[in-house]
Amino acid sequence: MPELPEVETVRRGLEPALAGKRIVRVETRRADLRFPWPERFAARVEGQRVERVWRRAKYLIAELASGESLIAHLGMTGRFTIVRDGVEETPGAYVYENGGDPKHDHAVLHVEDGTRIVYNDPRRFGFMDMAERDGLEQHKLIKAIGVEPLGNDWNAAYLAMRSAGKSVNLKALLMDQRIVAGLGNIYVSEALHRAGLSPNRKASSLSDVKGRPTARAERLVPAVRQVLEAAILAGGSTLRDYRHADGTMGHFQNAMQVYDRDGDACLRAGCGGVVRLVVHAGRSSYYCGRCQR
DNA sequence: ACTGTACCCTGTAGGC
DNA sequence: TGCCTACAGGGTACAG
């Protein structure tokens, strides 16, 4: 579910609910998510004040006063929801006015002001870990991740350097978190459409024989940034499970140009092409065969 | 080193 | 209605 715009939107929702506040109690309602909970998880979080909530790639990171950080990945269906209502019928199981989904409420962070941060994840591809803040960039989950696409390190020279000589296609290149952080299946398709590049094109065509960026690389870099910025402004894309931390939906799905539109007309002005579906590595890619080359 | 596939898990949509 | 299959926004472990 969540790619960079969704995770960033969740972060922006969680920050005011957590920053400067103390987590007084941690409940875990099963033994694991994708991985077991961090060792002594509750003891390391309970009583800690949250100093800030930030994001690296698709990871949410809450810095605690202890010097440790709580790292969370939402996988495909993970949700953090700020809950102020609800009745606790049995320990850790809440019934909400809207019905809720207690079956998949796997962890609850109780904040000192009485709010609860509920982690819900039906497929349990998400996970959490704890790490020392000072060594975070060397943490096993973080250290190999590529540049943030909204920062200055994401530029045509970098893209040319990292794609030179690679035979993988552009879909796989942009999906690779070691190259650029935070893109997933939706936004790769959207960025390639915006750049006018086929997902089937070889990554090596982003640089010339001297390793300098081609015009394609110069188009792709801002296309990625613009798609992500527009999606953040829209609060992400809600196709199925994804919600903001306050439970509301994103609406970038209404602005998508190609994703899940196979067989429909290309929306680029004057193009007249038809959106196609191709499967790369078991994941669907959508592109216009006319304006993406 | 690189590349592609299978798999983790649950829910849901669509075909029959 | 029910059963079955395929697929879903992610990442990793392997095989070749």
Side-chain angles (χ1 to χ4, degrees), chain A residues 73-258:
Chain A
H73 194 292
L74 303 177
M76 289 280 256
T77 55
R79 284 164 62 168
F80 276 109
T81 307
I82 302 163
V83 177
R84 296 189 174 83
D85 67 343
V87 176
E88 188 172 8
E89 295 209 328
T90 60
Y94 296 87
V95 174
Y96 309 119
E97 289 178 22
N98 68 2
D101 178 28
K103 182 177 177 187
H104 302 299
D105 286 348
H106 303 311
V108 183
L109 306 180
H110 293 257
V111 183
E112 61 181 335
D113 62 6
T115 61
R116 301 186 301 281
I117 311 296
V118 178
Y119 182 74
N120 178 284
D121 188 356
R123 289 175 75 180
R124 301 202 307 278
F125 287 172
F127 52 92
M128 299 189 196
D129 200 3
M130 299 283 293
E132 289 291 334
R133 173 174 53 207
D134 288 345
L136 201 63
E137 282 293 327
Q138 291 308 310
H139 187 274
K140 63 182 187 298
L141 297 171
I142 307 287
K143 66 181 180 185
I145 292 176
V147 302
E148 287 288 325
L150 300 180
N152 292 333
D153 292 340
W154 174 240
N155 55 58
Y158 170 83
L159 179 58
M161 185 261 293
R162 293 301 302 271
S163 57
K166 286 194 187 296
S167 64
V168 290
N169 57 47
L170 294 182
K171 172 68 184 303
L173 183 84
L174 295 179
M175 290 286 284
D176 188 342
Q177 302 299 298
R178 297 168 300 181
I179 307 291
V180 57
L183 291 168
N185 217 34
I186 293 177
Y187 297 107
V188 167
S189 279
E190 293 298 313
L192 287 170
H193 179 262
R194 180 176 284 246
L197 295 172
S198 168
N200 301 314
R201 170 176 285 282
K202 291 273 188 279
S204 56
S205 69
L206 297 176
S207 60
D208 66 16
V209 290
K210 294 184 175 177
R212 295 173 303 202
T214 60
R216 297 182 192 100
E218 301 281 2
R219 292 207 305 275
L220 184 52
V221 164
V224 167
R225 181 177 291 125
Q226 288 161 14
V227 163
L228 295 175
E229 287 177 345
I232 290 170
L233 277 177
S237 303
T238 295
L239 299 179
R240 307 166 70 97
D241 307 279
Y242 166 71
R243 295 291 186 283
H244 300 177
D246 65 2
T248 57
M249 298 193 297
H251 56 269
F252 189 75
Q253 65 277 12
N254 300 315
M256 294 193 302
Q257 301 292 294
V258 287

